Amino acid sequence: MNPVAIRLLNQQLVAPQFSDPAKVVGHMGAIQAQEYRMMRWAVAMRTKKPSLKAFKKAFDGGQIIRLHLMRGTWQLVSAEDYWPLLNLCAPKAIAVTKGWMSSNKITIPDEELMQIREILAQTASDKGSVTKEDLVQALAEKDIRMDEHRLSYHIRMAEFSGTLCSGDLLPMKASYALAADKVKPKVKIDRDEALMRFTRKYFQSHQPATLEDFVWWSGLNISDCRKGIALLGDTIHVERWKGRQFYLTDDCRTRGFKKGKFLLISPYDEYLIGYKSRDIVLPQEHRHRAHNNSGIFQPIIAHDGLICGNWTPFKEDCQVEFFEGDFGVADVREAWETYKLTFFAE
């Protein structure tokens, strides 16, 4: 087994299978979306023809949704997966958020929670797509004022309840919309079906991966993760590599990898953040170049799937720094031109 090549293929980082950004997000199950601008490149680079216009069209049209979902952080999910994943993941996400609120000595009574949620929902319904500043103004008109931290918790809890989700894609800041208008409710599926779909999507897009990887990524309890794997039955199997047990689906992609490719990867990309153990592609001695202990992830360069350097987004010229291998700017020129044409030409 070549785990690096298999991950590149199934993460759609080489020989991508999809032209539609929404299909990429649907394939991945969820894509980390901390960095509001770079989440667009994380999706675009996984399509056959990277396009930020195509991403914006899918995002504004409600085919791709951004919300707080797993581990209390931002993710992108497809419209098809939005309601099932919300029902599956929200209880744990709410518990995590309430823990953070408690540690910050913030208490929000139920009466306040419902009052503010109603105002947020009405504002989003009236305007279609609103920024946090719009919400602050709407509250002020009702003589309600609160600090940004408290309002953020209200918005997050409104997301978990299925009241608010992402609005239109703006250049630099998040917006919010009424979820019922943005993503039409689907026929409800039971929890086991949602868990099975969630598990399948993780392993089909992140394989080979371990149980511990899935527990980390999903934010679910280990018992739920084990159950999700069991529900997949004989469509998933185990392979051992260097003393570790990895899961792979029976339709795992193994062909299409060609050596010599450089990738300019977004910070917080699924290629790293999708796994608890990242040593398969990132040497331990260079871990600090990709992320720190506080969960801050950097833009990285991969050569044949192995992390070897850092790069700087949002610049007109190519700025790279390698910490592994004898490489230079010329080596990443093709990858840089693709990024530049995608990010600046549109």
Side-chain angles (χ1 to χ4, degrees):
M1 180 174 74
N2 182 344
V4 177
I6 293 173
R7 283 187 180 178
L8 288 171
L9 286 164
N10 290 281
Q11 284 232 9
Q12 305 295 315
L13 289 170
V14 298
Q17 297 171 293
F18 306 109
S19 300
D20 182 354
K23 290 188 180 300
V24 170
V25 177
H27 167 78
M28 299 294 291
I31 292 182
Q32 198 74 17
Q34 235 105 337
E35 223 292 344
Y36 189 63
R37 291 179 293 172
M38 289 306 290
M39 69 180 185
R40 309 164 206 203
W41 176 239
V43 175
M45 73 181 299
R46 289 175 162 87
T47 61
K48 291 181 179 179
K49 187 177 180 181
S51 168
L52 295 197
K53 288 181 180 177
F55 179 89
K56 179 173 172 55
K57 182 179 179 181
F59 195 92
D60 290 352
Q63 296 172 285
I64 297 173
I65 305 297
R66 182 178 187 246
L67 77 162
H68 288 93
L69 187 65
M70 295 140 38
R71 308 184 307 278
T73 62
W74 288 103
Q75 278 88 37
L76 299 175
V77 301
S78 69
E80 178 185 24
D81 292 331
Y82 172 77
W83 292 108
L85 289 188
L86 192 62
N87 292 333
L88 179 66
C89 298
K92 185 68 179 291
I94 290 170
V96 169
T97 301
K98 286 184 174 179
W100 290 349
M101 289 168 58
S102 178
S103 66
N104 289 317
K105 296 181 170 53
I106 293 177
T107 302
I108 300 179
D110 289 343
E111 182 179 354
E112 177 190 330
L113 193 69
M114 299 309 296
Q115 177 194 16
I116 301 302
R117 184 176 300 170
E118 184 177 340
I119 296 170
L120 301 184
Q122 189 62 55
T123 306
S125 178
D126 291 343
K127 295 191 175 184
S129 186
V130 296
T131 64
K132 187 177 283 189
E133 290 76 15
D134 294 323
L135 299 176
V136 169
Q137 181 179 345
L139 291 170
E141 289 172 358
K142 296 185 179 298
D143 203 27
I144 299 172
R145 291 170 177 79
M146 63 181 68
D147 63 51
E148 185 173 350
H149 203 185
R150 191 178 191 87
L151 177 58
S152 293
Y153 280 125
H154 273 290
I155 294 173
R156 190 170 300 196
M157 296 299 274
E159 288 180 281
F160 296 150
S161 70
T163 303
L164 294 183
C165 69
S166 52
D168 291 342
L169 187 72
L170 302 179
M172 298 291 289
K173 63 174 66 174
S175 69
Y176 303 91
L178 198 64
D181 289 344
K182 192 80 170 181
V183 194
K184 300 304 179 186
K186 306 288 184 182
V187 176
K188 192 171 183 179
I189 61 176
D190 65 32
R191 192 176 190 279
D192 279 1
E193 175 69 18
L195 178 60
M196 182 176 70
R197 290 187 189 181
F198 190 46
T199 308
R200 180 189 296 118
K201 285 181 180 253
Y202 173 74
F203 285 104
Q204 78 179 7
S205 59
H206 291 72
Q207 59 190 328
T210 66
L211 170 63
E212 292 75 18
D213 291 330
F214 183 41
V215 172
W216 149 254
W217 180 83
S218 69
L220 297 175
N221 299 326
I222 191 170
S223 57
D224 275 335
C225 293
R226 287 194 173 116
K227 183 177 183 180
I229 293 171
L231 287 169
L232 291 178
D234 59 6
T235 65
I236 195 168
H237 63 277
V238 171
E239 290 192 25
R240 298 192 69 85
W241 184 79
K242 294 189 175 181
R244 282 187 274 182
Q245 182 173 287
F246 291 88
Y247 289 93
L248 296 94
T249 63
D250 286 352
D251 58 355
C252 174
R253 296 181 72 198
T254 58
R255 295 187 178 184
F257 172 74
K258 294 181 180 179
K259 288 187 176 182
K261 188 175 182 66
F262 285 86
L263 295 168
L264 301 179
I265 300 176
S266 303
Y268 303 100
D269 192 89
E270 288 295 318
Y271 193 59
L272 281 189
I273 210 168
Y275 309 92
K276 182 177 182 180
S277 298
R278 299 161 188 141
D279 57 296
I280 289 176
V281 300
L282 176 64
Q284 182 64 24
E285 64 267 26
H286 298 312
R287 183 181 64 84
H288 65 286
R289 302 294 296 270
H291 62 88
N292 64 21
N293 292 330
S294 299
I296 306 299
F297 282 70
Q298 304 299 325
I300 50 173
I301 304 169
H303 176 241
D304 290 338
L306 299 178
I307 308 306
C308 60
N310 298 104
W311 66 292
T312 304
F314 315 126
K315 300 290 185 181
E316 291 286 348
D317 58 324
C318 183
Q319 298 181 16
V320 297
E321 182 178 355
F322 290 96
F323 48 77
E324 187 81 10
D326 186 20
F327 305 122
V329 171
D331 295 294
V332 300
R333 182 61 60 188
E334 182 179 352
W336 173 257
E337 290 301 322
T338 299
Y339 166 77
K340 186 176 179 180
L341 285 172
T342 303
F343 223 88
F344 296 109
E346 299 187 10

